[in-house]
Amino acid sequence: MSANAKDLRNPLKRARGLGSAQSGVGHWWTQRLTAAALVVLGLWFVVTVLGLLHADYAVAKATVAKPWNALLLIAFSITVFWHAVLGLQVVIEDYVHTRWKEVVSMALIKFLAVLGALASVLAVLRVALGA
């Protein structure tokens, strides 16, 4: 039996060097990296919020306005939405079997995630820059 007899990929896939998943490993790694980032950023966020538990508005605003806190809060917001899109994409791909529903669902989720991330970044920047 030759080596090609064991290869069950489509000839076009074999020529391009792609397996059946195409980019599945990249999606998997991105999901794991965003999860790891969320562990670190989530711990920072919880510690920061607990530190502000009995603070008034001025102290909370001054805390968010610090450059490192603003940067970490923006990173946390973007990572949350990115990780959510990746997770919901897996759920939709696994459980939605009608192509148009899958496409519409993914487009809606990505639109809402971008909208949410932009709103979060804008809110942090408004507080951090004193607008």
Side-chain angles (χ1 to χ4, degrees):
M1 193 182 295
S2 69
N4 285 341
K6 292 181 185 179
D7 192 0
L8 300 176
R9 292 181 296 173
N10 179 309
L12 182 59
K13 298 285 186 177
R14 194 168 34 254
R16 289 183 179 164
L18 299 173
S20 62
Q22 297 173 357
S23 63
V25 174
H27 185 275
W28 185 87
W29 267 111
T30 305
Q31 196 171 23
R32 295 318 178 269
L33 288 174
T34 56
L38 283 175
V39 168
V40 175
L41 291 168
L43 288 172
W44 165 82
F45 183 75
V46 168
V47 168
T48 302
V49 169
L50 289 176
L52 295 171
L53 200 56
H54 297 291
D56 61 354
Y57 175 76
V59 173
K61 186 174 178 180
T63 301
V64 172
K66 291 179 184 175
W68 279 107
N69 286 340
L71 181 67
L72 289 172
L73 194 53
I74 289 171
F76 179 70
S77 300
I78 291 171
T79 307
V80 163
F81 285 107
W82 190 5
H83 186 74
V85 167
L86 292 171
L88 289 169
Q89 179 179 345
V90 171
V91 171
I92 288 170
E93 288 172 351
D94 286 348
Y95 296 107
V96 177
H97 302 297
T98 307
R99 183 68 180 148
W100 73 268
K101 289 179 182 176
E102 182 180 346
V103 170
V104 169
S105 298
M106 281 307 304
L108 183 63
I109 287 168
K110 286 184 179 184
F111 173 76
L112 292 174
V114 168
L115 188 65
L118 288 174
S120 300
V121 169
L122 179 63
V124 172
L125 289 175
R126 286 191 63 169
V127 169
L129 299 176

